[in-house]
Amino acid sequence: MQIYDELVARGLIAQVTDEKEIRDLVNNGKATFYIGFDPTADSLHVGHFMALCLMKRLQQAGNKPIALIGGGTAMIGDPSGRTDMRQMMTRETIQHNCDCFKKQMSRFIDFSDDKALMVNNADWLLDLNYVEVLREVGAHFSVNRMLTAECYKQRMERGLSFLEFNYMIMQSYDFYALYQKYGCNMQFGGDDQWSNMLGGTELIRRKLGKDAYAMTITLLLNSEGKKMGKTQSGAVWLDPNKTSPFDFYQYWRNVADADVLKCLRMLTFLPLEQIDEMDKWEGSQLNQAKEILAYELTALVHGEEEAKKAQEGARALFSMGNAEHMPTAELSDEDFTEDAIDIVSLLHKSGLANTRSEGRRAVEQGGVSADGEKITDPKATLAKEKFEGDGIVVKKGKKNFRKVVLK
């Protein structure tokens, strides 16, 4: 199976502008393509996973990826899917986030020997002359047509700033700049980016003539993929200091039954034939499929050793036997008052609850236990001596737990 057909079979392609040409470029390793990443945090999250895996697949087939970091567009903010204006960031913060991205991307993409590029659109956007942009770029955009784009329609009633209105023009200019600087002939993006991407393709063809070779592809579920990065307690990050390898593993281990095969196809590098066999699996076999998914993705992001530790720790959760690989939280003497700590503070300090109010609700709803003993009183306390030595196992809900020790 050629790579384009595999992308379709894995459910990764939603829309294309020039399928015949795209198929030829991708299958013959002639595509130089880009995907953009907004540096709005200092870590990528699982919502970026689909794009990273796609870049890896295409690079393995001989194509050249360009990871475009939106250091310039981040100073404007993308209105897509938002109900309010994004907070402004300083140049220093944006640069720090860009540096963090490259380190994480290197686990997916080979940047050696010019096999891939990472570029920052601040390199050209911040030097643009405003009048020149109006004359050379703005003249190719219809305001009426821009207002039909979903990303703008959603914001019109609540208010859309002129700053954000320029985002489509900036993103379109990115493709034009990459086409001229690096011979980039293809762009990928989420289905919520379709209007912006078409703007870039049309800009190239209008400015450089019909012979200009530029085309677009969107990822089928990238908008859903962004939601993958969020849970009830916050984002699931690729940075192990923000989301531990164990919690990362658990996130994928706990996906819905209806999503596990979809995730296996889109995000893992297992052969499609092997995944197709899992279509027949039911009941407890789906748990095995979830283990395979969680292990493969944790190994991809954090390495085989961490994936094995996470898998053993997850299995220990259900057996409550060997706790060697359970995720651990440490308490200090300062965390105790009169040699005791209340259960709400314990949940918060151990990372099982993002806020005290979240921890209090979990206790009141009967979802918290310590060493197997259910705790329903938010004022309940545990003695300091319990945390000495091997510590205790604190559990919130059916799937979240920590071994808590006194350091």
Side-chain angles (χ1 to χ4, degrees):
M1 182 184 293
Q2 292 187 297
I3 183 62
Y4 185 84
D5 296 321
E6 181 179 347
L7 297 180
V8 173
R10 288 183 180 274
L12 289 166
I13 303 296
Q15 301 179 77
V16 300
T17 55
D18 308 84
E19 185 172 40
K20 183 178 180 295
E21 291 83 357
I22 288 171
R23 183 189 295 272
D24 177 66
L25 285 175
V26 167
N27 287 343
N28 291 290
K30 297 178 181 178
T32 298
F33 68 96
Y34 93 89
I35 298 180
F37 299 84
D38 277 342
T40 52
D42 59 2
S43 173
L44 298 166
H45 56 70
V46 298
H48 297 112
F49 222 61
M50 193 182 302
L52 294 170
C53 292
L54 177 71
M55 296 174 86
K56 182 178 177 72
R57 292 184 207 282
L58 288 170
Q59 186 180 50
Q60 289 176 339
N63 299 286
K64 184 174 181 176
I66 299 177
L68 177 66
I69 305 300
T73 40
M75 301 189 77
I76 296 175
D78 183 1
S80 300
R82 299 184 62 83
T83 57
D84 54 8
M85 187 170 167
R86 178 176 286 161
Q87 186 176 1
M88 296 284 191
M89 295 188 297
T90 66
R91 294 191 184 190
E92 292 75 18
T93 298
I94 291 171
Q95 184 57 51
H96 171 72
N97 294 349
C98 291
D99 295 339
C100 294
F101 277 18
K102 184 165 187 178
K103 182 179 179 181
Q104 294 176 353
M105 286 180 179
S106 294
R107 293 200 66 94
F108 295 81
I109 305 164
D110 182 2
F111 288 99
S112 67
D113 302 323
D114 202 40
K115 294 175 186 173
L117 297 174
M118 173 175 280
V119 296
N120 189 331
N121 64 13
D123 293 344
W124 53 83
L125 291 181
L126 298 189
D127 293 331
L128 287 175
N129 176 284
Y130 182 65
V131 174
E132 183 180 352
V133 172
L134 291 178
R135 287 175 56 87
E136 300 299 323
V137 182
H140 297 285
F141 287 81
S142 161
V143 170
N144 289 353
R145 185 171 179 182
M146 290 173 70
L147 289 174
T148 65
E150 196 62 35
C151 61
Y152 291 141
K153 286 167 63 178
Q154 293 174 355
R155 290 289 307 280
M156 289 301 292
E157 292 184 6
R158 296 179 62 91
L160 177 71
S161 73
F162 181 71
L163 183 71
E164 294 172 291
F165 189 63
N166 280 270
Y167 191 90
M168 181 184 291
I169 295 176
M170 295 294 96
Q171 184 171 329
S172 299
Y173 189 86
D174 283 343
F175 195 16
Y176 173 71
L178 290 169
Y179 181 90
Q180 291 196 303
K181 286 175 176 285
Y182 306 106
C184 180
N185 52 21
M186 194 177 299
Q187 58 179 332
F188 285 75
D191 54 2
D192 59 337
Q193 295 293 314
W194 185 241
S195 297
N196 294 346
M197 293 167 65
L198 286 179
T201 297
E202 292 176 6
L203 177 63
I204 291 173
R205 293 177 177 177
R206 287 179 180 179
K207 286 188 67 65
L208 303 180
K210 294 181 180 179
D211 293 334
Y213 216 46
M215 47 204 63
T216 58
I217 298 182
T218 65
L219 308 184
L220 176 58
L221 290 170
N222 204 40
S223 294
E224 183 175 322
K226 290 180 180 178
K227 297 173 188 174
M228 285 182 184
K230 300 290 184 180
T231 66
Q232 291 181 352
S233 58
V236 179
W237 304 99
L238 305 195
D239 183 344
N241 295 316
K242 288 177 171 286
T243 299
S244 71
F246 175 84
D247 287 335
F248 187 85
Y249 177 97
Q250 280 294 88
Y251 174 79
W252 297 108
R253 173 63 181 79
N254 295 326
V255 298
D257 290 354
D259 293 335
V260 61
L261 289 177
K262 178 172 64 180
C263 290
L264 280 164
R265 286 193 178 92
M266 289 181 163
L267 305 178
T268 76
F269 290 80
L270 296 174
L272 279 170
E273 296 79 9
Q274 180 181 346
I275 300 171
D276 289 342
E277 282 295 313
M278 298 181 195
D279 269 329
K280 307 169 187 174
W281 291 8
E282 314 181 317
S284 61
Q285 286 182 306
L286 285 176
N287 287 329
Q288 183 182 346
K290 292 178 185 181
E291 279 200 341
I292 293 171
L293 172 68
Y295 183 88
E296 291 293 325
L297 298 187
T298 306
L300 183 61
V301 174
H302 299 295
E304 294 280 347
E305 184 177 349
E306 290 296 336
K308 289 176 182 176
K309 289 180 181 178
Q311 187 174 69
E312 291 171 9
R315 289 172 177 172
L317 167 64
F318 296 100
S319 66
M320 296 307 291
N322 178 15
E324 179 183 356
H325 297 302
M326 286 186 183
T328 300
E330 294 182 337
L331 298 179
S332 64
D333 291 334
E334 291 75 21
D335 294 322
F336 294 87
T337 302
E338 296 181 356
D339 290 334
I341 185 171
D342 66 272
I343 187 62
V344 173
S345 296
L346 177 59
L347 290 171
H348 187 210
K349 292 180 182 295
S350 66
L352 285 170
N354 280 354
T355 62
R356 289 183 58 84
S357 58
E358 179 187 328
R360 186 176 298 105
R361 284 195 301 272
V363 173
E364 291 172 343
Q365 292 167 3
V368 174
S369 66
D371 270 352
E373 181 179 346
K374 193 170 186 177
I375 299 176
T376 57
D377 182 2
K379 296 180 180 179
T381 61
L382 291 91
K384 182 178 179 180
E385 62 186 27
K386 285 181 173 288
F387 300 91
E388 297 173 351
D390 293 334
I392 66 173
V393 175
V394 182
K395 191 173 176 182
K396 180 173 79 75
K398 295 181 178 179
K399 301 168 182 176
N400 300 302
F401 69 103
R402 294 286 189 280
K403 181 170 69 172
V404 187
V405 298
L406 179 65
K407 66 179 179 181

